[in-house]
């Protein structure tokens, strides 16, 4: 199998080579025998969508006029014409009435009753009377195909690996039935994934008489029952274009010798060639940008043209409650969007650009400087559209992410400016304390500041969102439309990913590589999470593991550089939070991230931070239908309780928010058993068999070193003598780490061990307060790994007064250097030091001081703990930990999704052993609604 990064490019190359070879073979030496026809395109008479949501909203699949579609087909090189609207041939009959030469056709939505699967059947050359019969028969695919076979009506199975399956994905036996039901298959669909296209082509090329006979035995269907030539498999092409942008750029080359000199009806010649089966696909296959721009144009037209579906009609329409709520939200959203004149103008201009018409000079004159780059990209799109469909795809690949990034950056900058102004007015808007104050009214107008219901409720007014959001709607709405189109395109293309991968496994070709993309917004920072991730990256590089990391580049000198297993994206914007000022959060370009995931050949995600990367991970999960795993570093509930001093009400709200977030993932990796038990408790509600315990390890620097104390430690009171005991703290100097307890603890120890010294390795917001409390202590600052190992080796005892640590890398590093520890009896330290393995566990500051003093006064016991510390450190080996992680996310074998009921949970006995997967797939809106309630 080629490397993951070459998977997509290899597919495109193979599909291009097939199309070129078949087209050249069919067209003949002089190329004159081939007649081009797009066998799959739509216009405004595709006016009743298959999806219930579209029918509720009463929107057609396109507003494209027939005349415009026909002009586009001719401009893109079609020699014969047809239109395949859904379940009707009205456009064809109307064109024939006008005297135009067109092949009657339709794309019928048919049901395979034994699987309850809906498929699309391109059907050609029928009469109006036959159309009525076909419409009646389409509810049963078998009866439909019996009729078309007997009447010699050519059919083509459109996009064979894309079908409608409301009750879940069908078994792979479905493809056996397709092999027996059809002789013509759409192998190159211009709006479907190239992976699906090449798999279809490869499968059909491998189907021989023996394969057909085997399929017949498995299904009980005799060859020839539903098609005339079951051993002859023909491959067609079609643009599947609804917007008239790419119509004719993909299609079918029919072998019709001397057709140019024959005269008469080209449609009739095309129909006969279809019946003979002399055909080959031509043109371009799908890039995601093609479907994205189709959705963009569709969104533009829905926003500009959609009529009110009517509330009573909506409520009485067939459909689920969820579908009706979605329809209500969409219709309200579209009408609110239409009220915003700048966004409406943008949609209109963008639609015009997709027709090849550049924004006029007036639009350019009236556009503010901030939006000039967006207008420039729209100009480039219009020019490319006027040039050719191929050129349009090339430009869209760069223009759409550039537009999105610009709009996102403007939005982020304006939000930061507004936040600063509110802070200048004395409002603490950046604090997590707002969590307990913010509420959303049930009345929409109250939400945007156009109703006084909130003031009547007696609750504090807080922020007037209507006034506060002034200047934000356009970049927010425009970027949402761009991002929403990209998301919708990807979700449609990859919706049947599991079925497609299973099919690839079955035919033994074009299996998608297994490779994870690990997202993080901290990789070069000076903190524990960054240190762990750097070690994990180093291990991935050392063993060439199927894991790549992705981070935002800062542009700073000496910063990150892309390399093996590390991909960098420029940060569109960044920000800090008042309660976490040392950490910079960076925003990558969402569409650029989406493109990176696709082109890199990834099929699963790991993420280490909740926001913003955690939200981006969930976007990728749903856009590409891949599993996503969260790697837990920080216990935010404990942070809020101990550092932010949250009361019960605020903690409950935070818990619900975190629960809603973590349940979206297919797996959560946890670093201690206490946290695992919390996540499995009723308050969080994550299934216990879907929680993975993992661990960290230390790098090669952390081993005992021969070093004298006076070479490492010095202080205001003078050098530490060799016989003076040194107590060391290593880590972030912040309140949640418990460092403000150390002065009291140290003074108590010093009272019993007068010569004791205290040293700190690390930086943080509590540094100055510690200097004031312990002026005689040694403050080493941020210490690199090789020097930190020397400090561990020279010290006598490590003190860890934190109730907050989910694991404690500092503890493991110290053990690796033979340094015993006294830590609070909590979370990670408890798992590491239980049963006295290298240290002691204290229940509070007084006991910590007593234990530490006792050890310092008992050299033999201290030496015994040194031996146990070294032994315990060997239990945490990088190779073992990473092997287990790879197994847990299924990178080393079976690609079964975690929802597979046959998957057995393993025993959680080992510290890094419990398995974990996805929570039940409940609607995210349900979780959001529960945030304010129970």
């Amino acid at each position: 199998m080629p490397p993951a990064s070459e998977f997509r490019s290899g597919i495109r190359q193979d599909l291009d080579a097939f199309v070129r070879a078949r087209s050249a073979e069919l067209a003949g030496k002089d190329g004159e025998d081939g007649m081009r026809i797009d066998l799959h395109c739509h216009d405004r008479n595709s006016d009743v969508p298959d999806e219930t949501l579209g029918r509720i909203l009463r929107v057609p699949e396109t507003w494209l006029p027939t005349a415009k579609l026909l002009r586009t087909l001719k401009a893109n090189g079609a020699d014969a014409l047809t239109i395949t609207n859904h379940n009707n041939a009205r456009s064809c009959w109307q064109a024939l009435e006008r005297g135009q030469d067109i092949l009657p056709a339709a794309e019928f939505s048919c049901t395979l009753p034994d699987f309850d699967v809906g498929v699309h059947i391109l059907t050609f050359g029928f009469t109006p009377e036959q159309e009525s019969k076909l419409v009646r028969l389409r509810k049963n695919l078998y009866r439909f195909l019996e009729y078309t076979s007997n009447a010699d009506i050519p059919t083509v199975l459109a996009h064979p690996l894309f079908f409608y399956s409301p009750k879940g994905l069908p078994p792979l036996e479905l493809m056996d039935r397709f092999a027996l039901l059809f002789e013509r298959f759409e192998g190159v669909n211009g709006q479907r994934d190239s992976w699906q296209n090449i798999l279809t082509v490869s499968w059909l090329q491998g189907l021989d008489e023996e394969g057909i006979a085997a399929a017949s035995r498995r299904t009980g269907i005799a060859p020839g029952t539903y098609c005339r030539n079951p051993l002859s498999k023909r491959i067609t092409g079609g643009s599947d274009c609804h917007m008239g942008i790419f119509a004719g750029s993909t299609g079918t080359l029919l072998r019709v010798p001397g057709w140019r000199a024959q005269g008469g009806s080209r449609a009739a010649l095309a129909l006969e060639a279809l019946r003979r089966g002399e055909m080959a696909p031509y043109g371009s296959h799908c890039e995601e940008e093609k479907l994205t721009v189709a959705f963009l144009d569709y969104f533009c037209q829905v926003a500009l043209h959609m009529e009110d579906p009517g509330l009573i009609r909506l409520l009485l329409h067939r459909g689920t409650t969820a579908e009706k709520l979605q329809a209500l939200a969409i219709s309200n959203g579209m009408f609110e969007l239409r009220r915003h004149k700048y966004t409406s103008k943008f949609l209109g201009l963008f639609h015009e650009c997709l027709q090849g018409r550049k924004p006029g000079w007036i639009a350019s004159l009236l556009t503010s400087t901030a939006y000039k780059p967006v207008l420039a990209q729209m100009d480039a799109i219009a020019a490319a559209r006027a040039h050719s469909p191929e050129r349009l795809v090339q430009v869209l690949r760069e223009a759409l992410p550039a537009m999105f990034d610009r709009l996102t950056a403007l939005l982020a900058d304006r939000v930061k400016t507004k936040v600063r102004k509110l802070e200048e007015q004395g409002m603490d808007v950046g604090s997590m304390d707002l969590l307990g104050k913010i509420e959303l009214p049930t009345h929409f107008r109250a939400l945007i500041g156009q109703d006084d219901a909130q003031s009547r409720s007696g609750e504090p007014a807080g922020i007037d969102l209507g006034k506060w959001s002034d200047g934000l709607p356009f970049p927010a709405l425009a970027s949402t439309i761009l991002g929403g189109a990209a998301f919708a395109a990807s979700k449609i293309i990859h919706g049947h990913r599991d079925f497609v991968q299973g099919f690839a496994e079955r035919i033994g070709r074009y299996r998608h590589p297994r490779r994870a993309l690990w997202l993080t917004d901290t990789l070069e920072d000076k903190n524990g999470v960054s240190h762990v991730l750097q070690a994990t990256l180093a291990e991935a590089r050392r063993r060439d593991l199927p894991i790549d990391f992705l981070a935002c580049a800062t542009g700073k000198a000496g910063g990150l550089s892309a390399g093996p297993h590390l991909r960098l994206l420029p940060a569109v914007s960044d920000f800090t939070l008042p309660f976490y000022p040392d950490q910079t959060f960076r925003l990558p370009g969402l569409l650029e991230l989406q493109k990176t995931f696709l082109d890199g050949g990834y099929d699963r995600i790991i993420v280490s931070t909740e926001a913003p990367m955690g939200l981006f991970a969930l976007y990728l999960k749903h856009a590409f239908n891949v599993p996503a795993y969260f790697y837990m570093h920080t216990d935010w509930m404990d942070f809020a309780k101990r550092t932010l001093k949250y009361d019960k009400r605020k903690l409950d709200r935070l818990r619900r928010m975190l629960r809603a977030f973590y349940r979206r993932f297919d797996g959560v990796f946890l670093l201690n058993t206490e946290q695992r038990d919390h996540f499995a408790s009723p308050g969080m509600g994550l299934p216990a068999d879907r929680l993975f315990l993992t661990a960290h390890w230390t790098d090669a620097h952390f081993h005992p070193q021969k070093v004298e104390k006076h070479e490492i430690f010095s202080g205001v009171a003078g050098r530490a003598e060799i016989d003076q005991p040194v107590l060391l703290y290593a880590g972030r100097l912040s309140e949640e780490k418990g460092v403000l307890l150390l002065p009291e603890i140290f003074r108590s120890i010093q009272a019993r061990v007068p010569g004791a010294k205290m040293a700190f390795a690390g930086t943080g917001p509590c540094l100055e307060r510690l200097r004031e409390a312990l002026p005689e202590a040694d403050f080493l600052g941020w210490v690199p790994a090789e020097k930190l190992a020397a400090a561990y080796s020279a010290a006598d005892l490590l003190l860890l007064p934190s109730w907050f640590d989910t694991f404690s890398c500092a503890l493991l590093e110290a053990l690796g250097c033979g340094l015993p520890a006294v830590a609070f009896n909590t979370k990670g330290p408890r798992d590491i030091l239980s049963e006295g393995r290298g240290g002691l566990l204290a229940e509070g500051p007084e006991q910590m001081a007593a234990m530490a003093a006792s050890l310092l006064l008992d050299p033999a016991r201290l030496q015994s703990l040194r031996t146990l510390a070294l032994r315990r450190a060997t239990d945490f080996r990088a190779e073992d930990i990473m092997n287990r992680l790879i197994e847990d996310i299924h990178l080393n074998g079976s690609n079964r999704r975690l929802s597979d009921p046959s998957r057995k949970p393993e025993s959680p006995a080992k510290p890094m052993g419990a398995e974990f997967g996805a929570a039940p797939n409940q609607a995210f809106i349900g979780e959001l609604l529960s945030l304010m309630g129970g």
Side-chain angles (χ1 to χ4, degrees), residues 498 501 505 512 514 603-604 890 893-897:
D498 290 348
Q501 176 69 357
E505 297 283 352
H512 198 288
R514 295 187 178 96
D603 72 332
R604 62 206 71 205
H890 304 286
S894 171
N895 202 42
R896 291 178 299 168
R897 292 298 292 273

Side-chain angles (χ1 to χ4, degrees), residues 31-46:
E32 293 297 313
D33 291 345
M35 175 185 288
R36 292 162 60 103
I37 183 171
D38 185 348
L39 291 178
H40 196 169
C41 54
H42 301 263
D43 71 9
R44 68 192 310 162
N45 279 315
S46 277

